[in-house]
Amino acid sequence: MHCLSPKMVCETKIVADEHDSIPGTKKGSIIVSSSQMWTTSSASSNTLEESVKKDTVFIRKFERSDHGEVRRIFYEGIMERIPNTAFRGLKHQTKTQILYAFITIMCFVVTKSLALTCCAPLILLGARYYFSRKVILSYLDCALHTDMSDIEQYYMKPTGSSFWVAVLEGKVVGIVAAQGSEEDNTVELRRMSVDSRYRGKGIAKALGRKVLEFAMVSNYSAIVLGTTAVKLAAHKLYESLGFRHVGETEEYTLPGMSHSLLERMFFQIRYHRYRLQLREE
């Protein structure tokens, strides 16, 4: 399989918390960025001791030792997309629903079998799961062999880009990247994901704010992101951070797609574009 540049093919994926856990930080969690961890005041040691609690989340830059956990969180987040795309995404695809209903009706007309007709929807859903798994695994393989294989090279070394991790109880529990573009003076929010065991603590929102802070300090004019997220919670998260929905693409193409007739019947994905304007050029 041939993979294009990760900037072109590996769009942002946010594994968002449920909608009721997005605004603010729940469960008494405390978010502390790396810039707040070290101070020159005489009371710095006391402040650090008070902040290092069991429920404190630190946002800091990526380190080489984080690589294994970062790849795990990214992998698990992408794997969640298989059932979400196959089943949850179907409710947004009216044409596909009509097609599947027509196939089910024709099954009864041709076979006159009620049992086979009742099985038809299950067969169609099974086919959706199969093709969703096939395409998303191809996408995952591409990402793990491009930017996610060498985070330092893709995000830490280039000027205007960076990668952060959220740390809770000494464990990496969330990730996010920022990739700058000199052409239009924008920075892209990418690779945001939170370990499913630690959601509901406002970590995703804190990671998004870190990118916002980075963009403002770096004098970027806007932050952009693209997502194929199906869950409404993800889109609510972007909006809560100040992003504005600026467009979408139907039947978006992911790397590894063959565009066969069966694939087009059983795998459809919608690509949403968001933008947060920081200042006018």
Side-chain angles (χ1 to χ4, degrees):
M1 179 188 71
H2 299 284
C3 292
L4 300 176
S5 163
K7 183 177 180 181
M8 297 174 61
V9 300
C10 299
E11 77 287 350
T12 302
K13 168 62 175 68
I14 294 185
V15 182
D17 304 320
E18 291 304 318
H19 178 38
D20 60 359
S21 67
I22 288 175
T25 57
K26 294 271 184 126
K27 301 181 181 178
S29 60
I30 304 172
I31 309 295
V32 182
S33 68
S34 58
S35 61
Q36 297 173 296
M37 290 176 64
W38 313 112
T39 65
T40 57
S41 66
S42 58
S44 62
S45 59
N46 293 333
T47 302
L48 185 61
E49 288 177 0
E50 292 175 0
S51 63
V52 180
K53 298 178 181 178
K54 187 175 181 180
D55 58 353
T56 301
V57 178
F58 292 104
I59 309 295
R60 61 165 173 79
K61 286 191 175 183
F62 168 85
E63 298 173 358
R64 186 172 297 181
S65 59
D66 301 326
H67 195 253
E69 282 298 288
V70 166
R71 283 172 62 94
R72 178 189 65 79
I73 292 172
F74 175 72
Y75 175 88
E76 291 177 357
I78 294 296
M79 291 300 289
E80 290 181 7
R81 298 173 67 180
I82 295 174
N84 286 338
T85 303
F87 308 130
R88 194 183 297 234
L90 182 59
K91 67 180 182 180
H92 302 295
Q93 298 159 4
T94 305
K95 292 181 180 179
T96 303
Q97 293 177 25
I98 294 173
L99 174 63
Y100 291 175
F102 175 76
I103 292 174
T104 302
I105 293 170
M106 289 305 298
C107 179
F108 179 75
V109 170
V110 173
T111 66
K112 306 297 184 183
S113 170
L114 184 60
L116 186 58
T117 302
C118 291
C119 290
L122 297 178
I123 295 172
L124 293 171
L125 290 176
R128 283 186 64 84
Y129 184 87
Y130 170 80
F131 281 100
S132 293
R133 179 179 174 82
K134 175 178 177 292
V135 173
I136 290 173
L137 285 178
S138 295
Y139 165 81
L140 181 61
D141 181 70
C142 180
L144 291 176
H145 286 85
T146 50
D147 63 310
M148 295 304 290
S149 69
D150 193 344
I151 293 170
E152 289 184 320
Q153 182 65 35
Y154 278 90
Y155 296 110
M156 304 306 293
K157 291 182 179 180
T159 303
S161 298
S162 194
F163 197 105
W164 298 270
V165 297
V167 181
L168 176 64
E169 300 176 12
K171 301 176 183 178
V172 174
V173 298
I175 61 174
V176 71
Q179 188 171 53
S181 171
E182 295 182 357
E183 295 180 4
D184 54 4
N185 194 34
T186 63
V187 62
E188 182 183 5
L189 186 154
R190 314 182 77 230
R191 303 308 190 204
M192 186 190 286
S193 187
V194 175
D195 190 317
S196 60
R197 297 170 295 178
Y198 298 92
R199 294 176 191 166
K201 297 178 180 290
I203 297 174
K205 197 167 188 176
L207 288 166
R209 285 172 173 163
K210 188 63 181 178
V211 176
L212 175 58
E213 175 190 324
F214 173 79
M216 295 179 68
V217 171
S218 303
N219 292 318
Y220 282 109
S221 61
I223 308 173
V224 298
L225 68 84
T227 181
T228 58
V230 174
K231 288 184 177 180
L232 178 62
H235 299 275
K236 291 294 184 182
L237 173 61
Y238 310 143
E239 294 171 1
S240 72
L241 288 168
F243 284 90
R244 182 171 59 91
H245 189 265
V246 294
E248 62 184 59
T249 302
E250 298 281 351
E251 300 182 3
Y252 184 70
T253 300
L254 289 176
M257 293 182 65
S258 64
H259 298 287
S260 66
L261 177 61
L262 286 176
E263 186 178 85
R264 290 198 299 272
M265 281 181 59
F266 297 111
F267 182 84
Q268 306 88 25
I269 198 163
R270 184 177 297 176
Y271 184 76
H272 298 267
R273 296 184 297 279
Y274 284 86
R275 184 181 183 92
L276 173 55
Q277 194 70 35
L278 300 176
R279 60 185 175 84
E280 296 298 330
E281 284 294 283

PDB file of all heavy atoms in Angstrom, residues 253-272:
ATOM      1  N   THR A 253     -12.288  10.082   1.200  1.00  0.00           N
ATOM      2  CA  THR A 253     -11.406   8.961   0.870  1.00  0.00           C
ATOM      3  C   THR A 253     -10.274   8.843   1.881  1.00  0.00           C
ATOM      4  O   THR A 253      -9.519   9.794   2.100  1.00  0.00           O
ATOM      5  CB  THR A 253     -10.807   9.137  -0.537  1.00  0.00           C
ATOM      6  OG1 THR A 253     -11.863   9.184  -1.502  1.00  0.00           O
ATOM      7  CG2 THR A 253      -9.869   7.980  -0.867  1.00  0.00           C
ATOM      8  N   LEU A 254     -10.160   7.687   2.502  1.00  0.00           N
ATOM      9  CA  LEU A 254      -9.059   7.396   3.405  1.00  0.00           C
ATOM     10  C   LEU A 254      -8.023   6.544   2.683  1.00  0.00           C
ATOM     11  O   LEU A 254      -8.356   5.833   1.723  1.00  0.00           O
ATOM     12  CB  LEU A 254      -9.567   6.630   4.631  1.00  0.00           C
ATOM     13  CG  LEU A 254     -10.416   7.400   5.641  1.00  0.00           C
ATOM     14  CD1 LEU A 254     -10.906   6.458   6.737  1.00  0.00           C
ATOM     15  CD2 LEU A 254      -9.629   8.542   6.265  1.00  0.00           C
ATOM     16  N   PRO A 255      -6.766   6.586   3.113  1.00  0.00           N
ATOM     17  CA  PRO A 255      -5.747   5.742   2.484  1.00  0.00           C
ATOM     18  C   PRO A 255      -6.084   4.272   2.664  1.00  0.00           C
ATOM     19  O   PRO A 255      -6.578   3.854   3.709  1.00  0.00           O
ATOM     20  CB  PRO A 255      -4.459   6.106   3.238  1.00  0.00           C
ATOM     21  CG  PRO A 255      -4.927   6.681   4.530  1.00  0.00           C
ATOM     22  CD  PRO A 255      -6.198   7.397   4.211  1.00  0.00           C
ATOM     23  N   GLY A 256      -5.861   3.507   1.629  1.00  0.00           N
ATOM     24  CA  GLY A 256      -6.162   2.081   1.681  1.00  0.00           C
ATOM     25  C   GLY A 256      -7.503   1.722   1.082  1.00  0.00           C
ATOM     26  O   GLY A 256      -7.824   0.535   0.929  1.00  0.00           O
ATOM     27  N   MET A 257      -8.308   2.704   0.709  1.00  0.00           N
ATOM     28  CA  MET A 257      -9.606   2.429   0.102  1.00  0.00           C
ATOM     29  C   MET A 257      -9.422   2.004  -1.353  1.00  0.00           C
ATOM     30  O   MET A 257      -8.636   2.602  -2.086  1.00  0.00           O
ATOM     31  CB  MET A 257     -10.510   3.656   0.181  1.00  0.00           C
ATOM     32  CG  MET A 257     -10.927   4.018   1.593  1.00  0.00           C
ATOM     33  SD  MET A 257     -12.045   5.441   1.702  1.00  0.00           S
ATOM     34  CE  MET A 257     -13.509   4.802   0.867  1.00  0.00           C
ATOM     35  N   SER A 258     -10.163   0.973  -1.748  1.00  0.00           N
ATOM     36  CA  SER A 258     -10.045   0.447  -3.113  1.00  0.00           C
ATOM     37  C   SER A 258     -11.084   1.043  -4.054  1.00  0.00           C
ATOM     38  O   SER A 258     -10.966   0.917  -5.270  1.00  0.00           O
ATOM     39  CB  SER A 258     -10.208  -1.074  -3.092  1.00  0.00           C
ATOM     40  OG  SER A 258     -11.517  -1.431  -2.653  1.00  0.00           O
ATOM     41  N   HIS A 259     -12.124   1.660  -3.497  1.00  0.00           N
ATOM     42  CA  HIS A 259     -13.220   2.264  -4.269  1.00  0.00           C
ATOM     43  C   HIS A 259     -13.993   1.223  -5.088  1.00  0.00           C
ATOM     44  O   HIS A 259     -14.572   1.541  -6.123  1.00  0.00           O
ATOM     45  CB  HIS A 259     -12.693   3.361  -5.201  1.00  0.00           C
ATOM     46  CG  HIS A 259     -12.046   4.499  -4.476  1.00  0.00           C
ATOM     47  ND1 HIS A 259     -12.768   5.436  -3.770  1.00  0.00           N
ATOM     48  CD2 HIS A 259     -10.744   4.840  -4.333  1.00  0.00           C
ATOM     49  CE1 HIS A 259     -11.928   6.313  -3.235  1.00  0.00           C
ATOM     50  NE2 HIS A 259     -10.708   5.983  -3.544  1.00  0.00           N
ATOM     51  N   SER A 260     -13.993  -0.004  -4.623  1.00  0.00           N
ATOM     52  CA  SER A 260     -14.782  -1.032  -5.287  1.00  0.00           C
ATOM     53  C   SER A 260     -16.263  -0.773  -5.029  1.00  0.00           C
ATOM     54  O   SER A 260     -16.634  -0.010  -4.124  1.00  0.00           O
ATOM     55  CB  SER A 260     -14.405  -2.417  -4.761  1.00  0.00           C
ATOM     56  OG  SER A 260     -14.763  -2.552  -3.387  1.00  0.00           O
ATOM     57  N   LEU A 261     -17.127  -1.412  -5.813  1.00  0.00           N
ATOM     58  CA  LEU A 261     -18.569  -1.222  -5.667  1.00  0.00           C
ATOM     59  C   LEU A 261     -19.037  -1.635  -4.282  1.00  0.00           C
ATOM     60  O   LEU A 261     -19.816  -0.912  -3.631  1.00  0.00           O
ATOM     61  CB  LEU A 261     -19.320  -2.024  -6.736  1.00  0.00           C
ATOM     62  CG  LEU A 261     -20.853  -1.964  -6.661  1.00  0.00           C
ATOM     63  CD1 LEU A 261     -21.338  -0.529  -6.828  1.00  0.00           C
ATOM     64  CD2 LEU A 261     -21.475  -2.879  -7.716  1.00  0.00           C
ATOM     65  N   LEU A 262     -18.557  -2.778  -3.803  1.00  0.00           N
ATOM     66  CA  LEU A 262     -18.961  -3.258  -2.487  1.00  0.00           C
ATOM     67  C   LEU A 262     -18.475  -2.318  -1.389  1.00  0.00           C
ATOM     68  O   LEU A 262     -19.198  -2.053  -0.422  1.00  0.00           O
ATOM     69  CB  LEU A 262     -18.427  -4.671  -2.247  1.00  0.00           C
ATOM     70  CG  LEU A 262     -19.124  -5.797  -2.997  1.00  0.00           C
ATOM     71  CD1 LEU A 262     -18.429  -7.123  -2.742  1.00  0.00           C
ATOM     72  CD2 LEU A 262     -20.602  -5.888  -2.577  1.00  0.00           C
ATOM     73  N   GLU A 263     -17.270  -1.812  -1.540  1.00  0.00           N
ATOM     74  CA  GLU A 263     -16.739  -0.895  -0.537  1.00  0.00           C
ATOM     75  C   GLU A 263     -17.557   0.394  -0.479  1.00  0.00           C
ATOM     76  O   GLU A 263     -17.856   0.911   0.606  1.00  0.00           O
ATOM     77  CB  GLU A 263     -15.276  -0.579  -0.832  1.00  0.00           C
ATOM     78  CG  GLU A 263     -14.607   0.255   0.257  1.00  0.00           C
ATOM     79  CD  GLU A 263     -13.151   0.508  -0.058  1.00  0.00           C
ATOM     80  OE1 GLU A 263     -12.860   1.479  -0.790  1.00  0.00           O
ATOM     81  OE2 GLU A 263     -12.293  -0.266   0.415  1.00  0.00           O
ATOM     82  N   ARG A 264     -17.956   0.894  -1.641  1.00  0.00           N
ATOM     83  CA  ARG A 264     -18.760   2.109  -1.677  1.00  0.00           C
ATOM     84  C   ARG A 264     -20.147   1.873  -1.080  1.00  0.00           C
ATOM     85  O   ARG A 264     -20.758   2.782  -0.531  1.00  0.00           O
ATOM     86  CB  ARG A 264     -18.885   2.623  -3.114  1.00  0.00           C
ATOM     87  CG  ARG A 264     -17.585   3.186  -3.682  1.00  0.00           C
ATOM     88  CD  ARG A 264     -17.858   4.060  -4.893  1.00  0.00           C
ATOM     89  NE  ARG A 264     -18.498   3.332  -5.983  1.00  0.00           N
ATOM     90  CZ  ARG A 264     -17.847   2.670  -6.937  1.00  0.00           C
ATOM     91  NH1 ARG A 264     -16.513   2.662  -6.935  1.00  0.00           N
ATOM     92  NH2 ARG A 264     -18.489   2.041  -7.893  1.00  0.00           N
ATOM     93  N   MET A 265     -20.640   0.639  -1.183  1.00  0.00           N
ATOM     94  CA  MET A 265     -21.945   0.308  -0.616  1.00  0.00           C
ATOM     95  C   MET A 265     -21.911   0.224   0.911  1.00  0.00           C
ATOM     96  O   MET A 265     -22.870   0.607   1.583  1.00  0.00           O
ATOM     97  CB  MET A 265     -22.454  -1.028  -1.167  1.00  0.00           C
ATOM     98  CG  MET A 265     -23.051  -0.974  -2.554  1.00  0.00           C
ATOM     99  SD  MET A 265     -23.644  -2.606  -3.072  1.00  0.00           S
ATOM    100  CE  MET A 265     -24.851  -2.963  -1.788  1.00  0.00           C
ATOM    101  N   PHE A 266     -20.792  -0.268   1.427  1.00  0.00           N
ATOM    102  CA  PHE A 266     -20.744  -0.590   2.851  1.00  0.00           C
ATOM    103  C   PHE A 266     -19.802   0.275   3.686  1.00  0.00           C
ATOM    104  O   PHE A 266     -19.720   0.088   4.901  1.00  0.00           O
ATOM    105  CB  PHE A 266     -20.390  -2.066   3.028  1.00  0.00           C
ATOM    106  CG  PHE A 266     -21.410  -2.997   2.457  1.00  0.00           C
ATOM    107  CD1 PHE A 266     -21.130  -3.766   1.340  1.00  0.00           C
ATOM    108  CD2 PHE A 266     -22.677  -3.087   3.026  1.00  0.00           C
ATOM    109  CE1 PHE A 266     -22.080  -4.623   0.801  1.00  0.00           C
ATOM    110  CE2 PHE A 266     -23.637  -3.938   2.492  1.00  0.00           C
ATOM    111  CZ  PHE A 266     -23.342  -4.713   1.384  1.00  0.00           C
ATOM    112  N   PHE A 267     -19.109   1.203   3.053  1.00  0.00           N
ATOM    113  CA  PHE A 267     -18.263   2.108   3.839  1.00  0.00           C
ATOM    114  C   PHE A 267     -18.391   3.521   3.292  1.00  0.00           C
ATOM    115  O   PHE A 267     -18.020   3.795   2.154  1.00  0.00           O
ATOM    116  CB  PHE A 267     -16.788   1.675   3.790  1.00  0.00           C
ATOM    117  CG  PHE A 267     -15.901   2.564   4.628  1.00  0.00           C
ATOM    118  CD1 PHE A 267     -15.758   2.345   5.985  1.00  0.00           C
ATOM    119  CD2 PHE A 267     -15.215   3.628   4.051  1.00  0.00           C
ATOM    120  CE1 PHE A 267     -14.950   3.170   6.767  1.00  0.00           C
ATOM    121  CE2 PHE A 267     -14.412   4.462   4.820  1.00  0.00           C
ATOM    122  CZ  PHE A 267     -14.276   4.232   6.176  1.00  0.00           C
ATOM    123  N   GLN A 268     -18.931   4.401   4.098  1.00  0.00           N
ATOM    124  CA  GLN A 268     -19.013   5.821   3.766  1.00  0.00           C
ATOM    125  C   GLN A 268     -18.552   6.600   4.992  1.00  0.00           C
ATOM    126  O   GLN A 268     -18.833   6.211   6.134  1.00  0.00           O
ATOM    127  CB  GLN A 268     -20.436   6.248   3.389  1.00  0.00           C
ATOM    128  CG  GLN A 268     -21.084   5.429   2.286  1.00  0.00           C
ATOM    129  CD  GLN A 268     -21.802   4.210   2.826  1.00  0.00           C
ATOM    130  OE1 GLN A 268     -22.217   4.172   3.979  1.00  0.00           O
ATOM    131  NE2 GLN A 268     -21.957   3.194   1.980  1.00  0.00           N
ATOM    132  N   ILE A 269     -17.846   7.677   4.741  1.00  0.00           N
ATOM    133  CA  ILE A 269     -17.356   8.488   5.847  1.00  0.00           C
ATOM    134  C   ILE A 269     -17.413   9.957   5.453  1.00  0.00           C
ATOM    135  O   ILE A 269     -17.179  10.301   4.288  1.00  0.00           O
ATOM    136  CB  ILE A 269     -15.916   8.063   6.245  1.00  0.00           C
ATOM    137  CG1 ILE A 269     -15.575   8.561   7.639  1.00  0.00           C
ATOM    138  CG2 ILE A 269     -14.899   8.515   5.223  1.00  0.00           C
ATOM    139  CD1 ILE A 269     -14.378   7.847   8.239  1.00  0.00           C
ATOM    140  N   ARG A 270     -17.769  10.789   6.396  1.00  0.00           N
ATOM    141  CA  ARG A 270     -17.920  12.218   6.151  1.00  0.00           C
ATOM    142  C   ARG A 270     -16.788  12.978   6.852  1.00  0.00           C
ATOM    143  O   ARG A 270     -16.504  12.752   8.026  1.00  0.00           O
ATOM    144  CB  ARG A 270     -19.278  12.689   6.678  1.00  0.00           C
ATOM    145  CG  ARG A 270     -19.601  14.144   6.396  1.00  0.00           C
ATOM    146  CD  ARG A 270     -21.003  14.468   6.895  1.00  0.00           C
ATOM    147  NE  ARG A 270     -22.015  13.701   6.183  1.00  0.00           N
ATOM    148  CZ  ARG A 270     -23.309  13.736   6.477  1.00  0.00           C
ATOM    149  NH1 ARG A 270     -23.737  14.481   7.488  1.00  0.00           N
ATOM    150  NH2 ARG A 270     -24.170  13.017   5.775  1.00  0.00           N
ATOM    151  N   TYR A 271     -16.166  13.887   6.123  1.00  0.00           N
ATOM    152  CA  TYR A 271     -15.021  14.647   6.631  1.00  0.00           C
ATOM    153  C   TYR A 271     -15.458  16.081   6.936  1.00  0.00           C
ATOM    154  O   TYR A 271     -15.951  16.794   6.057  1.00  0.00           O
ATOM    155  CB  TYR A 271     -13.908  14.650   5.582  1.00  0.00           C
ATOM    156  CG  TYR A 271     -12.621  15.317   6.009  1.00  0.00           C
ATOM    157  CD1 TYR A 271     -11.738  14.690   6.886  1.00  0.00           C
ATOM    158  CD2 TYR A 271     -12.272  16.568   5.508  1.00  0.00           C
ATOM    159  CE1 TYR A 271     -10.555  15.288   7.252  1.00  0.00           C
ATOM    160  CE2 TYR A 271     -11.086  17.181   5.866  1.00  0.00           C
ATOM    161  CZ  TYR A 271     -10.236  16.537   6.739  1.00  0.00           C
ATOM    162  OH  TYR A 271      -9.053  17.142   7.105  1.00  0.00           O
ATOM    163  N   HIS A 272     -15.290  16.505   8.193  1.00  0.00           N
ATOM    164  CA  HIS A 272     -15.684  17.839   8.636  1.00  0.00           C
ATOM    165  C   HIS A 272     -14.454  18.715   8.817  1.00  0.00           C
ATOM    166  O   HIS A 272     -13.430  18.272   9.346  1.00  0.00           O
ATOM    167  CB  HIS A 272     -16.446  17.761   9.962  1.00  0.00           C
ATOM    168  CG  HIS A 272     -17.711  16.984   9.892  1.00  0.00           C
ATOM    169  ND1 HIS A 272     -18.934  17.569   9.635  1.00  0.00           N
ATOM    170  CD2 HIS A 272     -17.949  15.646  10.028  1.00  0.00           C
ATOM    171  CE1 HIS A 272     -19.875  16.635   9.638  1.00  0.00           C
ATOM    172  NE2 HIS A 272     -19.302  15.462   9.868  1.00  0.00           N
TER     173      HIS A 272
END
